[in-house]
Amino acid sequence: MGDIEFKSSPEFSLGMEIELQLLNPDTLQLVDGILPLLAQNPENFWIQPECNQAMVEIASQVCSNIPELEANIFAIMRDLKVRCQQLGMTICAAGTHPFCDRFASITPIPRYLAQQNTSGYLADLMMTCAVQLHVGMPSGDVAIDIMGRLKPYLPILLALSASSPFWWGHDTSFASFRQRFLSSLRTYGICPTFKNWQDFANFFANAQHAGMFEIIRDIHWDLRPQPNFGTLEVRVMDAQPTIKESMMLAAFIHSLIVYLHHHSQGKPTEFLLTPLPWLIERENYFRASRWGLDANYIEDDQGNSRPIRNIVKDILNVLAETADTLGNSSYLFQLEKRLDQGASYIRQRRVFESTGSVKAVVASLVSELEAELLVPENKIHYTPK
């Protein structure tokens, strides 16, 4: 039997990690800049390396609500921007770099070098970025219960976050090509379903014995428990070009998890997505990655489906009361407006269609983040208009 302690954390507390691209400000090509960036201030724990030397990850502190998380991420991002400028770099965020056509330079850390050895050629192509949200859980059993209830919503989150239509200079026809690439790696993708924390611990012990994983962090599922942090980590989403979009998604997930927890406690709930057979789960993933918000989501094992845009609106309606209680309403209001204004994959294609240039697409990503970082600190919270 497995024996893994789940270190509980404040219920539904929040933490975020965002992976960003390091760029040459003139060519807008990726630049291997993580080592000088880390050497510049080795005591900065909010700026961390990734597997690829042309990427950097920022990590928030533990926060109690979305506005606090937003303020913390803004502060870290502004600091990162200045540090990168001092080293002759700039930054942007999206699921993929639209025209990078070279292999990754692996960050020379034992864990990443081991991943390269295991993944082979796939590691050389690992040029993708995500935004990940940690939500605090009171126990391992609650984390596993919410994990199972949240699983049907992962394609919805994928469609909402899709920001990787381009790969090696080509329009892939996918809204999130990042998801298609990661599905080729053995430890990524759809998470299994477990009965309780002990069931997960037993699985991990057996997988560890078989040489599949050494530590929990070797699991890269789109939804995974983090026992050392006491969180459930949502990992399915493409990196977002702006902080405000990351916060919209965080507020959506935060409200949804609390709502699902209320259902598990027997409190009245309305519309819910339900678990589906594995092949239908895979199909919903493919549809969300291929067509984004225009995809049709299969809702049951009879094959009935509806547009994801309509399902998102249904979810937002049932989350309204929970979101209001949590102080998330203004963020969900912005998310609903974004359904009509266009997610990142749509905006990137508009730029390419008007310019014929993938470099112009990267320039638009840089500009979106730069414009946001110029907003005064007391103006970063969103209220409905």
mmCIF file of all heavy atoms in Angstrom, residues 128-152:
data_model
loop_
_atom_site.group_PDB
_atom_site.id
_atom_site.type_symbol
_atom_site.label_atom_id
_atom_site.label_comp_id
_atom_site.label_asym_id
_atom_site.label_seq_id
_atom_site.Cartn_x
_atom_site.Cartn_y
_atom_site.Cartn_z
ATOM 1 N N THR A 128 6.640 24.711 -25.382
ATOM 2 C CA THR A 128 5.255 25.057 -25.063
ATOM 3 C C THR A 128 5.186 25.738 -23.697
ATOM 4 O O THR A 128 6.058 25.534 -22.849
ATOM 5 C CB THR A 128 4.354 23.810 -25.047
ATOM 6 O OG1 THR A 128 4.793 22.926 -24.006
ATOM 7 C CG2 THR A 128 4.400 23.079 -26.384
ATOM 8 N N CYS A 129 4.126 26.532 -23.503
ATOM 9 C CA CYS A 129 3.960 27.270 -22.246
ATOM 10 C C CYS A 129 2.526 27.136 -21.738
ATOM 11 O O CYS A 129 1.580 27.103 -22.530
ATOM 12 C CB CYS A 129 4.277 28.752 -22.439
ATOM 13 S SG CYS A 129 6.005 29.100 -22.776
ATOM 14 N N ALA A 130 2.396 27.106 -20.407
ATOM 15 C CA ALA A 130 1.087 26.920 -19.774
ATOM 16 C C ALA A 130 0.908 27.907 -18.636
ATOM 17 O O ALA A 130 1.857 28.545 -18.174
ATOM 18 C CB ALA A 130 0.972 25.488 -19.239
ATOM 19 N N VAL A 131 -0.340 28.031 -18.197
ATOM 20 C CA VAL A 131 -0.639 28.682 -16.923
ATOM 21 C C VAL A 131 -1.282 27.624 -16.042
ATOM 22 O O VAL A 131 -2.143 26.859 -16.500
ATOM 23 C CB VAL A 131 -1.565 29.908 -17.107
ATOM 24 C CG1 VAL A 131 -2.856 29.554 -17.822
ATOM 25 C CG2 VAL A 131 -1.877 30.551 -15.759
ATOM 26 N N GLN A 132 -0.832 27.532 -14.800
ATOM 27 C CA GLN A 132 -1.292 26.479 -13.883
ATOM 28 C C GLN A 132 -1.811 27.112 -12.600
ATOM 29 O O GLN A 132 -1.192 28.033 -12.065
ATOM 30 C CB GLN A 132 -0.129 25.518 -13.582
ATOM 31 C CG GLN A 132 0.349 24.758 -14.814
ATOM 32 C CD GLN A 132 1.850 24.566 -14.862
ATOM 33 O OE1 GLN A 132 2.574 24.940 -13.949
ATOM 34 N NE2 GLN A 132 2.332 23.989 -15.952
ATOM 35 N N LEU A 133 -2.951 26.606 -12.150
ATOM 36 C CA LEU A 133 -3.577 27.142 -10.943
ATOM 37 C C LEU A 133 -3.614 26.076 -9.865
ATOM 38 O O LEU A 133 -4.075 24.955 -10.102
ATOM 39 C CB LEU A 133 -5.001 27.616 -11.233
ATOM 40 C CG LEU A 133 -5.714 28.300 -10.063
ATOM 41 C CD1 LEU A 133 -5.111 29.690 -9.817
ATOM 42 C CD2 LEU A 133 -7.213 28.411 -10.303
ATOM 43 N N HIS A 134 -3.123 26.425 -8.670
ATOM 44 C CA HIS A 134 -3.216 25.570 -7.489
ATOM 45 C C HIS A 134 -4.377 26.053 -6.630
ATOM 46 O O HIS A 134 -4.496 27.253 -6.351
ATOM 47 C CB HIS A 134 -1.930 25.650 -6.659
ATOM 48 C CG HIS A 134 -0.742 24.999 -7.290
ATOM 49 N ND1 HIS A 134 -0.286 23.754 -6.928
ATOM 50 C CD2 HIS A 134 0.084 25.427 -8.285
ATOM 51 C CE1 HIS A 134 0.772 23.439 -7.645
ATOM 52 N NE2 HIS A 134 1.021 24.448 -8.480
ATOM 53 N N VAL A 135 -5.209 25.119 -6.197
ATOM 54 C CA VAL A 135 -6.319 25.445 -5.300
ATOM 55 C C VAL A 135 -6.165 24.610 -4.037
ATOM 56 O O VAL A 135 -6.042 23.373 -4.104
ATOM 57 C CB VAL A 135 -7.681 25.181 -5.970
ATOM 58 C CG1 VAL A 135 -8.822 25.558 -5.022
ATOM 59 C CG2 VAL A 135 -7.801 25.958 -7.278
ATOM 60 N N GLY A 136 -6.166 25.280 -2.884
ATOM 61 C CA GLY A 136 -5.936 24.607 -1.611
ATOM 62 C C GLY A 136 -7.041 23.626 -1.255
ATOM 63 O O GLY A 136 -8.230 23.919 -1.440
ATOM 64 N N MET A 137 -6.644 22.470 -0.730
ATOM 65 C CA MET A 137 -7.571 21.413 -0.352
ATOM 66 C C MET A 137 -7.374 21.030 1.117
ATOM 67 O O MET A 137 -6.237 20.956 1.591
ATOM 68 C CB MET A 137 -7.337 20.176 -1.222
ATOM 69 C CG MET A 137 -7.630 20.386 -2.699
ATOM 70 S SD MET A 137 -9.405 20.455 -3.012
ATOM 71 C CE MET A 137 -9.486 21.734 -4.274
ATOM 72 N N PRO A 138 -8.476 20.777 1.836
ATOM 73 C CA PRO A 138 -8.350 20.430 3.257
ATOM 74 C C PRO A 138 -7.825 19.029 3.504
ATOM 75 O O PRO A 138 -7.351 18.731 4.597
ATOM 76 C CB PRO A 138 -9.782 20.585 3.778
ATOM 77 C CG PRO A 138 -10.656 20.341 2.587
ATOM 78 C CD PRO A 138 -9.890 20.895 1.424
ATOM 79 N N SER A 139 -7.933 18.144 2.500
ATOM 80 C CA SER A 139 -7.469 16.764 2.679
ATOM 81 C C SER A 139 -7.245 16.131 1.315
ATOM 82 O O SER A 139 -7.738 16.616 0.280
ATOM 83 C CB SER A 139 -8.498 15.934 3.458
ATOM 84 O OG SER A 139 -9.657 15.706 2.663
ATOM 85 N N GLY A 140 -6.518 15.016 1.320
ATOM 86 C CA GLY A 140 -6.308 14.270 0.088
ATOM 87 C C GLY A 140 -7.601 13.710 -0.472
ATOM 88 O O GLY A 140 -7.793 13.676 -1.691
ATOM 89 N N ASP A 141 -8.500 13.265 0.407
ATOM 90 C CA ASP A 141 -9.779 12.718 -0.062
ATOM 91 C C ASP A 141 -10.611 13.778 -0.778
ATOM 92 O O ASP A 141 -11.234 13.495 -1.815
ATOM 93 C CB ASP A 141 -10.574 12.132 1.115
ATOM 94 C CG ASP A 141 -10.036 10.783 1.556
ATOM 95 O OD1 ASP A 141 -9.386 10.094 0.740
ATOM 96 O OD2 ASP A 141 -10.263 10.416 2.730
ATOM 97 N N VAL A 142 -10.624 14.999 -0.249
ATOM 98 C CA VAL A 142 -11.359 16.076 -0.914
ATOM 99 C C VAL A 142 -10.705 16.396 -2.254
ATOM 100 O O VAL A 142 -11.397 16.607 -3.266
ATOM 101 C CB VAL A 142 -11.433 17.338 -0.026
ATOM 102 C CG1 VAL A 142 -12.010 18.516 -0.801
ATOM 103 C CG2 VAL A 142 -12.268 17.057 1.217
ATOM 104 N N ALA A 143 -9.370 16.415 -2.286
ATOM 105 C CA ALA A 143 -8.662 16.699 -3.540
ATOM 106 C C ALA A 143 -9.019 15.677 -4.616
ATOM 107 O O ALA A 143 -9.281 16.038 -5.773
ATOM 108 C CB ALA A 143 -7.156 16.712 -3.299
ATOM 109 N N ILE A 144 -9.048 14.406 -4.260
ATOM 110 C CA ILE A 144 -9.367 13.358 -5.236
ATOM 111 C C ILE A 144 -10.832 13.429 -5.653
ATOM 112 O O ILE A 144 -11.167 13.223 -6.829
ATOM 113 C CB ILE A 144 -9.027 11.970 -4.658
ATOM 114 C CG1 ILE A 144 -7.514 11.838 -4.464
ATOM 115 C CG2 ILE A 144 -9.558 10.861 -5.546
ATOM 116 C CD1 ILE A 144 -6.694 11.976 -5.735
ATOM 117 N N ASP A 145 -11.710 13.747 -4.724
ATOM 118 C CA ASP A 145 -13.132 13.886 -5.058
ATOM 119 C C ASP A 145 -13.340 15.025 -6.055
ATOM 120 O O ASP A 145 -14.020 14.855 -7.082
ATOM 121 C CB ASP A 145 -13.950 14.139 -3.791
ATOM 122 C CG ASP A 145 -15.433 14.344 -4.098
ATOM 123 O OD1 ASP A 145 -16.099 13.358 -4.456
ATOM 124 O OD2 ASP A 145 -15.911 15.492 -3.997
ATOM 125 N N ILE A 146 -12.744 16.195 -5.779
ATOM 126 C CA ILE A 146 -12.883 17.340 -6.687
ATOM 127 C C ILE A 146 -12.206 17.043 -8.016
ATOM 128 O O ILE A 146 -12.699 17.438 -9.084
ATOM 129 C CB ILE A 146 -12.293 18.612 -6.048
ATOM 130 C CG1 ILE A 146 -13.074 18.999 -4.790
ATOM 131 C CG2 ILE A 146 -12.289 19.761 -7.049
ATOM 132 C CD1 ILE A 146 -14.515 19.369 -5.036
ATOM 133 N N MET A 147 -11.107 16.322 -7.978
ATOM 134 C CA MET A 147 -10.394 15.951 -9.203
ATOM 135 C C MET A 147 -11.316 15.186 -10.155
ATOM 136 O O MET A 147 -11.375 15.467 -11.362
ATOM 137 C CB MET A 147 -9.172 15.102 -8.826
ATOM 138 C CG MET A 147 -8.255 14.723 -9.959
ATOM 139 S SD MET A 147 -6.765 13.930 -9.248
ATOM 140 C CE MET A 147 -6.098 13.124 -10.692
ATOM 141 N N GLY A 148 -12.070 14.239 -9.626
ATOM 142 C CA GLY A 148 -12.997 13.475 -10.449
ATOM 143 C C GLY A 148 -14.149 14.323 -10.965
ATOM 144 O O GLY A 148 -14.600 14.155 -12.108
ATOM 145 N N ARG A 149 -14.652 15.229 -10.125
ATOM 146 C CA ARG A 149 -15.781 16.077 -10.527
ATOM 147 C C ARG A 149 -15.362 17.142 -11.540
ATOM 148 O O ARG A 149 -16.162 17.561 -12.387
ATOM 149 C CB ARG A 149 -16.399 16.748 -9.294
ATOM 150 C CG ARG A 149 -17.026 15.766 -8.310
ATOM 151 C CD ARG A 149 -17.509 16.465 -7.040
ATOM 152 N NE ARG A 149 -17.935 15.499 -6.039
ATOM 153 C CZ ARG A 149 -19.159 14.989 -5.971
ATOM 154 N NH1 ARG A 149 -20.085 15.379 -6.842
ATOM 155 N NH2 ARG A 149 -19.468 14.122 -5.023
ATOM 156 N N LEU A 150 -14.115 17.593 -11.457
ATOM 157 C CA LEU A 150 -13.625 18.647 -12.349
ATOM 158 C C LEU A 150 -13.199 18.102 -13.713
ATOM 159 O O LEU A 150 -13.165 18.848 -14.707
ATOM 160 C CB LEU A 150 -12.444 19.366 -11.678
ATOM 161 C CG LEU A 150 -11.910 20.641 -12.323
ATOM 162 C CD1 LEU A 150 -13.002 21.704 -12.420
ATOM 163 C CD2 LEU A 150 -10.717 21.174 -11.525
ATOM 164 N N LYS A 151 -12.894 16.840 -13.773
ATOM 165 C CA LYS A 151 -12.348 16.228 -14.989
ATOM 166 C C LYS A 151 -13.192 16.500 -16.238
ATOM 167 O O LYS A 151 -12.631 16.830 -17.298
ATOM 168 C CB LYS A 151 -12.193 14.725 -14.741
ATOM 169 C CG LYS A 151 -11.370 13.985 -15.755
ATOM 170 C CD LYS A 151 -11.209 12.529 -15.295
ATOM 171 C CE LYS A 151 -10.598 11.658 -16.348
ATOM 172 N NZ LYS A 151 -10.543 10.243 -15.921
ATOM 173 N N PRO A 152 -14.536 16.412 -16.216
ATOM 174 C CA PRO A 152 -15.311 16.676 -17.440
ATOM 175 C C PRO A 152 -15.212 18.117 -17.940
ATOM 176 O O PRO A 152 -15.551 18.397 -19.089
ATOM 177 C CB PRO A 152 -16.755 16.351 -17.018
ATOM 178 C CG PRO A 152 -16.637 15.501 -15.801
ATOM 179 C CD PRO A 152 -15.398 15.963 -15.111
#
